[in-house]
Amino acid sequence: MALRPDAPLTYTVQRGDTLWSIANRYLLDPWQWPEIWIVNGQVANPHLIYPGDVLQLSVVDGRPQLGLAVERLSPQIRESSIEGAIPTIPLDAIRDFLRGPRLVTPEQLAAAPYLLAFVDDHLIGGEGNLIYAKNLPAGQPYRYALVRPGQVYRDPDDQRVLGLEAIPVGLAEARQFGQPATMALAATYREALIGDRLLPVDDDAFKADFHPHAPTHAIGGRIVAAFDGLSQISQYQIVAINRGAEQGLEAGHVLQILRQGELVRDPHAKGRVQLPDQPAGLMLVFKTTARLSYALVMSVTRPAHVLDKVEAPIPGTLVGSSR
Protein backbone atom coordinates (compact mmCIF):
# COMPACT_ATOMS: atom_id res chain seq x y z
CA MET A 1 0.00 0.00 0.00
CA ALA A 2 1.72 3.19 -1.22
CA LEU A 3 0.74 6.81 -0.58
CA ARG A 4 0.64 9.39 -3.33
CA PRO A 5 3.49 11.85 -2.98
CA ASP A 6 0.98 14.74 -2.90
CA ALA A 7 -1.42 13.14 -0.38
CA PRO A 8 -2.95 15.90 1.79
CA LEU A 9 -2.53 15.82 5.58
CA THR A 10 -6.18 16.85 6.02
CA TYR A 11 -9.17 16.82 3.72
CA THR A 12 -12.71 18.10 4.24
CA VAL A 13 -15.27 15.76 2.72
CA GLN A 14 -17.37 17.42 -0.01
CA ARG A 15 -20.76 16.60 -1.46
CA GLY A 16 -20.23 14.43 -4.52
CA ASP A 17 -17.20 12.67 -3.00
CA THR A 18 -17.05 8.89 -2.86
CA LEU A 19 -14.88 6.69 -0.67
CA TRP A 20 -13.05 5.65 -3.82
CA SER A 21 -12.36 9.23 -4.94
CA ILE A 22 -11.12 10.20 -1.48
CA ALA A 23 -8.83 7.17 -1.39
CA ASN A 24 -7.54 8.19 -4.82
CA ARG A 25 -6.28 11.42 -3.23
CA TYR A 26 -4.18 9.38 -0.84
CA LEU A 27 -3.29 6.03 -2.40
CA LEU A 28 -1.67 4.98 -5.66
CA ASP A 29 -4.02 1.99 -5.53
CA PRO A 30 -7.36 3.41 -4.32
CA TRP A 31 -8.98 -0.03 -4.12
CA GLN A 32 -6.88 -0.63 -0.99
CA TRP A 33 -8.71 2.11 0.94
CA PRO A 34 -10.27 -0.22 3.57
CA GLU A 35 -6.74 -0.87 4.87
CA ILE A 36 -6.09 2.76 5.88
CA TRP A 37 -9.34 3.73 7.64
CA ILE A 38 -9.23 4.05 11.42
CA VAL A 39 -12.29 2.88 13.32
CA ASN A 40 -12.62 5.14 16.37
CA GLY A 41 -15.20 6.39 18.84
CA GLN A 42 -16.50 9.04 16.49
CA VAL A 43 -17.39 6.68 13.69
CA ALA A 44 -18.26 3.03 14.30
CA ASN A 45 -18.26 2.18 10.62
CA PRO A 46 -15.67 3.51 8.13
CA HIS A 47 -18.40 3.66 5.50
CA LEU A 48 -20.23 6.35 7.47
CA ILE A 49 -18.33 9.43 6.34
CA TYR A 50 -20.36 12.58 5.69
CA PRO A 51 -19.89 15.89 3.86
CA GLY A 52 -18.19 18.30 6.25
CA ASP A 53 -16.16 15.64 8.05
CA VAL A 54 -12.44 16.45 8.28
CA LEU A 55 -10.13 13.53 7.54
CA GLN A 56 -6.61 13.46 8.93
CA LEU A 57 -3.65 11.45 7.66
CA SER A 58 -1.15 9.99 10.10
CA VAL A 59 1.56 7.34 9.98
CA VAL A 60 1.69 4.73 12.75
CA ASP A 61 4.48 2.14 12.81
CA GLY A 62 5.31 3.02 9.23
CA ARG A 63 1.75 2.48 7.93
CA PRO A 64 -0.53 5.30 6.78
CA GLN A 65 -3.83 5.71 8.61
CA LEU A 66 -6.78 7.91 7.79
CA GLY A 67 -9.27 8.95 10.44
CA LEU A 68 -11.59 11.73 11.51
CA ALA A 69 -9.91 14.85 12.86
CA VAL A 70 -10.91 15.99 16.37
CA GLU A 71 -12.06 19.36 15.02
CA ARG A 72 -14.74 17.78 12.84
CA LEU A 73 -17.48 20.18 11.76
CA SER A 74 -20.23 17.96 13.15
CA PRO A 75 -18.91 16.44 16.39
CA GLN A 76 -21.99 14.52 17.44
CA ILE A 77 -21.99 10.75 17.18
CA ARG A 78 -24.24 9.66 14.32
CA GLU A 79 -26.46 6.64 14.22
CA SER A 80 -25.37 3.72 12.06
CA SER A 81 -27.18 4.74 8.89
CA ILE A 82 -25.79 5.24 5.42
CA GLU A 83 -28.45 7.84 4.60
CA GLY A 84 -26.53 11.04 3.86
CA ALA A 85 -23.15 9.29 4.05
CA ILE A 86 -20.92 9.40 0.99
CA PRO A 87 -21.11 6.21 -1.09
CA THR A 88 -18.31 3.86 -2.03
CA ILE A 89 -18.68 4.60 -5.75
CA PRO A 90 -20.80 7.02 -7.85
CA LEU A 91 -24.27 5.59 -7.31
CA ASP A 92 -25.79 7.58 -10.18
CA ALA A 93 -23.79 5.43 -12.57
CA ILE A 94 -25.23 2.29 -10.98
CA ARG A 95 -28.78 3.66 -10.95
CA ASP A 96 -28.55 3.95 -14.72
CA PHE A 97 -27.98 0.21 -14.74
CA LEU A 98 -31.36 -0.35 -13.11
CA ARG A 99 -32.93 0.89 -16.35
CA GLY A 100 -30.32 -0.90 -18.40
CA PRO A 101 -29.87 -4.34 -19.92
CA ARG A 102 -30.60 -7.29 -17.69
CA LEU A 103 -29.30 -10.80 -18.11
CA VAL A 104 -31.93 -13.50 -18.56
CA THR A 105 -31.97 -16.94 -20.07
CA PRO A 106 -33.79 -17.43 -23.38
CA GLU A 107 -36.18 -19.74 -21.50
CA GLN A 108 -36.97 -17.03 -18.89
CA LEU A 109 -37.77 -14.49 -21.58
CA ALA A 110 -39.89 -16.95 -23.57
CA ALA A 111 -41.96 -17.75 -20.47
CA ALA A 112 -42.41 -14.10 -19.39
CA PRO A 113 -45.75 -12.25 -19.71
CA TYR A 114 -45.96 -9.92 -22.67
CA LEU A 115 -47.68 -6.86 -24.11
CA LEU A 116 -50.64 -8.25 -26.02
CA ALA A 117 -52.28 -5.04 -27.23
CA PHE A 118 -52.84 -1.37 -26.44
CA VAL A 119 -56.16 -0.43 -24.87
CA ASP A 120 -56.68 2.39 -27.38
CA ASP A 121 -55.68 0.42 -30.50
CA HIS A 122 -52.19 1.98 -30.74
CA LEU A 123 -49.41 0.18 -32.59
CA ILE A 124 -46.76 1.80 -30.38
CA GLY A 125 -47.05 3.26 -26.90
CA GLY A 126 -45.46 5.54 -24.35
CA GLU A 127 -45.77 6.75 -20.79
CA GLY A 128 -49.38 6.97 -19.61
CA ASN A 129 -50.79 4.49 -22.14
CA LEU A 130 -52.85 1.53 -20.95
CA ILE A 131 -51.93 -1.92 -22.23
CA TYR A 132 -53.26 -5.46 -22.11
CA ALA A 133 -50.79 -8.05 -20.82
CA LYS A 134 -51.07 -11.79 -21.36
CA ASN A 135 -50.00 -14.43 -18.79
CA LEU A 136 -49.48 -11.89 -16.00
CA PRO A 137 -49.67 -13.75 -12.63
CA ALA A 138 -52.53 -12.55 -10.45
CA GLY A 139 -51.83 -10.62 -7.28
CA GLN A 140 -48.08 -10.01 -7.22
CA PRO A 141 -45.88 -8.38 -8.13
CA TYR A 142 -47.64 -5.39 -9.65
CA ARG A 143 -44.59 -3.52 -11.07
CA TYR A 144 -42.82 -4.93 -14.10
CA ALA A 145 -39.98 -3.90 -16.37
CA LEU A 146 -41.02 -3.87 -20.03
CA VAL A 147 -38.17 -5.28 -22.11
CA ARG A 148 -37.35 -6.73 -25.50
CA PRO A 149 -34.62 -9.22 -26.45
CA GLY A 150 -31.20 -7.89 -27.41
CA GLN A 151 -27.83 -9.45 -28.00
CA VAL A 152 -26.83 -12.93 -26.89
CA TYR A 153 -23.95 -12.95 -24.42
CA ARG A 154 -21.43 -15.66 -25.25
CA ASP A 155 -18.30 -16.66 -23.41
CA PRO A 156 -15.43 -15.75 -25.79
CA ASP A 157 -13.39 -18.63 -24.38
CA ASP A 158 -15.76 -21.48 -25.29
CA GLN A 159 -18.75 -19.78 -27.01
CA ARG A 160 -21.20 -20.98 -24.35
CA VAL A 161 -24.32 -18.83 -24.07
CA LEU A 162 -24.10 -16.82 -20.84
CA GLY A 163 -27.50 -15.22 -21.21
CA LEU A 164 -29.70 -12.97 -23.26
CA GLU A 165 -29.80 -9.18 -22.97
CA ALA A 166 -33.18 -7.75 -21.99
CA ILE A 167 -33.22 -4.22 -23.41
CA PRO A 168 -35.20 -1.82 -21.18
CA VAL A 169 -38.34 -0.33 -22.74
CA GLY A 170 -40.20 1.01 -19.73
CA LEU A 171 -41.99 0.36 -16.48
CA ALA A 172 -45.53 -1.04 -16.28
CA GLU A 173 -47.88 -1.24 -13.28
CA ALA A 174 -50.84 -3.59 -12.97
CA ARG A 175 -54.25 -1.93 -12.80
CA GLN A 176 -56.54 -4.97 -13.06
CA PHE A 177 -55.50 -8.60 -13.00
CA GLY A 178 -57.06 -11.06 -15.38
CA GLN A 179 -56.46 -12.80 -18.68
CA PRO A 180 -55.55 -10.46 -20.18
CA ALA A 181 -54.53 -8.07 -17.37
CA THR A 182 -54.71 -4.29 -17.71
CA MET A 183 -51.53 -2.31 -17.00
CA ALA A 184 -50.38 1.29 -17.24
CA LEU A 185 -47.03 2.36 -18.67
CA ALA A 186 -45.62 4.33 -15.73
CA ALA A 187 -42.43 5.26 -17.63
CA THR A 188 -40.91 4.56 -21.03
CA TYR A 189 -37.32 4.82 -22.25
CA ARG A 190 -38.16 3.92 -25.86
CA GLU A 191 -41.34 3.15 -27.81
CA ALA A 192 -43.30 0.22 -26.41
CA LEU A 193 -44.26 -2.42 -28.98
CA ILE A 194 -46.69 -5.32 -29.07
CA GLY A 195 -44.80 -8.44 -28.04
CA ASP A 196 -42.47 -6.72 -25.56
CA ARG A 197 -41.91 -8.90 -22.49
CA LEU A 198 -42.62 -8.13 -18.82
CA LEU A 199 -40.10 -9.01 -16.08
CA PRO A 200 -40.50 -8.35 -12.34
CA VAL A 201 -38.63 -5.21 -11.30
CA ASP A 202 -35.32 -6.05 -9.63
CA ASP A 203 -35.21 -3.75 -6.61
CA ASP A 204 -32.10 -5.43 -5.19
CA ALA A 205 -29.76 -4.88 -8.10
CA PHE A 206 -26.83 -3.76 -5.92
CA LYS A 207 -25.67 -2.90 -2.43
CA ALA A 208 -24.15 0.50 -1.84
CA ASP A 209 -21.95 -0.36 1.15
CA PHE A 210 -19.63 -3.10 -0.09
CA HIS A 211 -15.90 -3.12 0.68
CA PRO A 212 -13.54 -3.03 -2.31
CA HIS A 213 -11.13 -5.94 -2.13
CA ALA A 214 -9.03 -7.99 -4.51
CA PRO A 215 -9.83 -11.61 -5.34
CA THR A 216 -7.41 -14.06 -3.75
CA HIS A 217 -7.39 -16.28 -6.81
CA ALA A 218 -6.80 -15.93 -10.55
CA ILE A 219 -9.84 -14.76 -12.54
CA GLY A 220 -8.82 -15.13 -16.18
CA GLY A 221 -11.91 -13.33 -17.46
CA ARG A 222 -12.77 -11.06 -20.36
CA ILE A 223 -15.06 -8.11 -20.95
CA VAL A 224 -17.95 -9.43 -23.05
CA ALA A 225 -20.12 -6.32 -23.38
CA ALA A 226 -20.32 -2.63 -22.51
CA PHE A 227 -23.47 -1.06 -21.06
CA ASP A 228 -23.98 1.49 -23.86
CA GLY A 229 -22.94 -0.89 -26.62
CA LEU A 230 -19.67 0.87 -27.46
CA SER A 231 -16.52 -1.20 -27.82
CA GLN A 232 -14.14 1.32 -26.23
CA ILE A 233 -14.38 1.44 -22.45
CA SER A 234 -14.46 4.69 -20.47
CA GLN A 235 -14.55 5.68 -16.79
CA TYR A 236 -17.85 5.02 -14.96
CA GLN A 237 -19.06 2.75 -17.74
CA ILE A 238 -20.76 -0.51 -16.81
CA VAL A 239 -19.39 -3.66 -18.40
CA ALA A 240 -20.23 -7.37 -18.29
CA ILE A 241 -17.51 -9.97 -17.79
CA ASN A 242 -17.57 -13.71 -18.41
CA ARG A 243 -16.94 -14.69 -14.80
CA GLY A 244 -19.45 -14.93 -11.97
CA ALA A 245 -20.26 -16.58 -8.66
CA GLU A 246 -19.25 -20.00 -9.99
CA GLN A 247 -15.73 -18.60 -10.43
CA GLY A 248 -15.72 -17.04 -6.95
CA LEU A 249 -16.54 -13.45 -7.91
CA GLU A 250 -18.59 -11.34 -5.49
CA ALA A 251 -19.79 -7.76 -5.12
CA GLY A 252 -16.88 -5.56 -4.06
CA HIS A 253 -14.19 -7.44 -5.95
CA VAL A 254 -11.79 -5.12 -7.77
CA LEU A 255 -10.43 -6.31 -11.11
CA GLN A 256 -7.68 -4.96 -13.31
CA ILE A 257 -8.30 -4.46 -17.03
CA LEU A 258 -5.47 -5.82 -19.16
CA ARG A 259 -5.16 -4.68 -22.74
CA GLN A 260 -3.97 -7.61 -24.79
CA GLY A 261 -0.46 -7.18 -26.15
CA GLU A 262 -0.05 -7.04 -29.91
CA LEU A 263 1.58 -9.70 -32.06
CA VAL A 264 4.40 -7.87 -33.86
CA ARG A 265 6.85 -8.86 -36.54
CA ASP A 266 10.42 -9.32 -35.38
CA PRO A 267 12.60 -6.98 -37.53
CA HIS A 268 15.74 -9.17 -37.22
CA ALA A 269 14.46 -12.71 -36.77
CA LYS A 270 11.83 -14.73 -38.55
CA GLY A 271 8.37 -14.89 -37.07
CA ARG A 272 6.33 -12.73 -34.73
CA VAL A 273 6.61 -11.85 -31.04
CA GLN A 274 3.71 -11.62 -28.62
CA LEU A 275 3.99 -8.40 -26.58
CA PRO A 276 2.94 -8.55 -22.91
CA ASP A 277 -0.48 -7.43 -21.75
CA GLN A 278 -0.64 -3.87 -20.44
CA PRO A 279 -2.68 -2.62 -17.43
CA ALA A 280 -5.49 -0.39 -18.73
CA GLY A 281 -7.70 0.38 -15.74
CA LEU A 282 -9.66 -0.82 -12.73
CA MET A 283 -13.24 -1.97 -12.32
CA LEU A 284 -15.38 -2.82 -9.30
CA VAL A 285 -17.86 -5.70 -9.42
CA PHE A 286 -21.28 -4.71 -8.05
CA LYS A 287 -23.55 -7.54 -9.23
CA THR A 288 -22.93 -11.20 -10.03
CA THR A 289 -24.86 -14.05 -11.57
CA ALA A 290 -23.71 -17.64 -11.81
CA ARG A 291 -21.46 -17.16 -14.84
CA LEU A 292 -21.48 -13.43 -15.57
CA SER A 293 -20.86 -10.28 -13.52
CA TYR A 294 -21.43 -6.56 -13.94
CA ALA A 295 -18.74 -4.08 -12.94
CA LEU A 296 -18.29 -0.31 -12.89
CA VAL A 297 -15.09 0.94 -14.53
CA MET A 298 -13.44 3.15 -11.92
CA SER A 299 -10.42 4.35 -13.91
CA VAL A 300 -8.77 3.92 -17.31
CA THR A 301 -5.13 4.62 -18.02
CA ARG A 302 -5.02 3.59 -21.68
CA PRO A 303 -7.65 2.63 -24.26
CA ALA A 304 -9.60 -0.46 -23.20
CA HIS A 305 -12.08 -2.45 -25.26
CA VAL A 306 -14.57 -5.29 -25.26
CA LEU A 307 -12.73 -8.65 -25.10
CA ASP A 308 -9.86 -7.20 -23.05
CA LYS A 309 -8.79 -9.44 -20.18
CA VAL A 310 -9.67 -8.88 -16.52
CA GLU A 311 -7.64 -10.20 -13.61
CA ALA A 312 -7.00 -9.69 -9.91
CA PRO A 313 -5.14 -6.36 -9.57
CA ILE A 314 -1.42 -6.13 -8.96
CA PRO A 315 -0.59 -3.23 -6.59
CA GLY A 316 1.52 -0.48 -8.12
CA THR A 317 0.79 -1.26 -11.77
CA LEU A 318 -1.62 1.64 -12.34
CA VAL A 319 0.47 4.58 -11.15
CA GLY A 320 -0.96 7.76 -12.63
CA SER A 321 -4.57 6.58 -12.59
CA SER A 322 -7.13 9.30 -13.17
CA ARG A 323 -8.22 11.38 -10.17
Side-chain angles (χ1 to χ4, degrees):
M1 181 172 59
L3 283 175
R4 286 185 178 271
D6 58 346
L9 293 178
T10 62
Y11 177 72
T12 301
V13 179
Q14 308 293 318
R15 293 194 181 277
D17 280 342
T18 63
L19 294 177
W20 186 287
S21 68
I22 291 175
N24 210 21
R25 293 178 178 272
Y26 287 92
L27 298 175
L28 294 177
D29 297 304
W31 56 271
Q32 294 183 318
W33 70 262
E35 299 181 25
I36 70 169
W37 288 110
I38 300 174
V39 177
N40 56 34
Q42 291 178 308
V43 56
N45 183 336
H47 279 97
L48 302 186
I49 307 297
Y50 297 81
D53 284 343
V54 179
L55 304 180
Q56 187 169 23
L57 178 68
S58 60
V59 178
V60 178
D61 297 328
R63 291 183 60 84
Q65 294 186 347
L66 193 63
L68 292 174
V70 175
E71 62 273 17
R72 63 186 298 172
L73 298 183
S74 302
Q76 71 273 16
I77 297 175
R78 296 186 173 100
E79 296 180 358
S80 296
S81 169
I82 63 172
E83 185 177 356
I86 65 171
T88 303
I89 57 177
L91 294 185
D92 285 345
I94 303 299
R95 289 190 183 100
D96 288 342
F97 172 79
L98 300 180
R99 299 192 315 182
R102 299 170 57 181
L103 182 73
V104 296
T105 66
E107 293 77 17
Q108 284 176 317
L109 204 60
Y114 57 90
L115 196 165
L116 177 67
F118 293 95
V119 171
D120 295 324
D121 282 337
H122 298 305
L123 295 178
I124 59 175
E127 183 175 338
N129 287 156
L130 294 177
I131 65 171
Y132 292 116
K134 188 173 181 180
N135 298 333
L136 192 74
Q140 61 170 341
Y142 81 97
R143 296 175 73 243
Y144 283 79
L146 190 67
V147 303
R148 67 177 57 115
Q151 66 174 310
V152 175
Y153 289 108
R154 292 185 180 273
D155 192 321
D157 295 335
D158 56 18
Q159 295 304 306
R160 290 189 305 170
V161 174
L162 297 173
L164 183 65
E165 178 187 32
I167 299 174
V169 175
L171 180 69
E173 298 178 347
R175 291 290 184 264
Q176 183 176 353
F177 291 101
Q179 291 299 342
T182 303
M183 307 185 77
L185 296 179
T188 52
Y189 321 125
R190 48 177 52 85
E191 293 176 336
L193 302 176
I194 292 173
D196 286 342
R197 296 285 180 169
L198 291 154
L199 299 175
V201 171
D202 186 359
D203 290 322
D204 188 29
F206 72 101
K207 293 183 179 180
D209 59 347
F210 37 65
H211 282 263
H213 57 290
T216 57
H217 58 283
I219 300 301
R222 290 182 181 271
I223 299 172
V224 296
F227 174 70
D228 59 8
L230 300 177
S231 62
Q232 183 159 323
I233 308 301
S234 58
Q235 187 182 35
Y236 299 147
Q237 189 171 11
I238 291 172
V239 298
I241 59 176
N242 65 333
R243 295 291 185 268
E246 290 183 358
Q247 291 78 35
L249 277 185
E250 61 187 27
H253 268 157
V254 176
L255 302 176
Q256 186 173 51
I257 305 170
L258 296 171
R259 184 179 179 184
Q260 186 169 346
E262 296 181 12
L263 189 65
V264 300
R265 185 181 300 276
D266 191 319
H268 297 294
K270 291 183 178 180
R272 295 178 177 270
V273 177
Q274 179 70 55
L275 299 181
D277 297 336
Q278 293 294 324
L282 289 173
M283 64 174 64
L284 188 144
V285 175
F286 66 90
K287 183 177 176 66
T288 62
T289 66
R291 292 189 294 161
L292 185 141
S293 297
Y294 291 96
L296 182 67
V297 176
M298 302 305 301
S299 64
V300 287
T301 54
R302 53 171 48 91
H305 301 84
V306 171
L307 297 184
D308 278 350
K309 300 177 183 177
V310 295
E311 192 51 87
I314 301 174
T317 58
L318 284 170
V319 175
S321 62
S322 57
R323 293 180 63 180

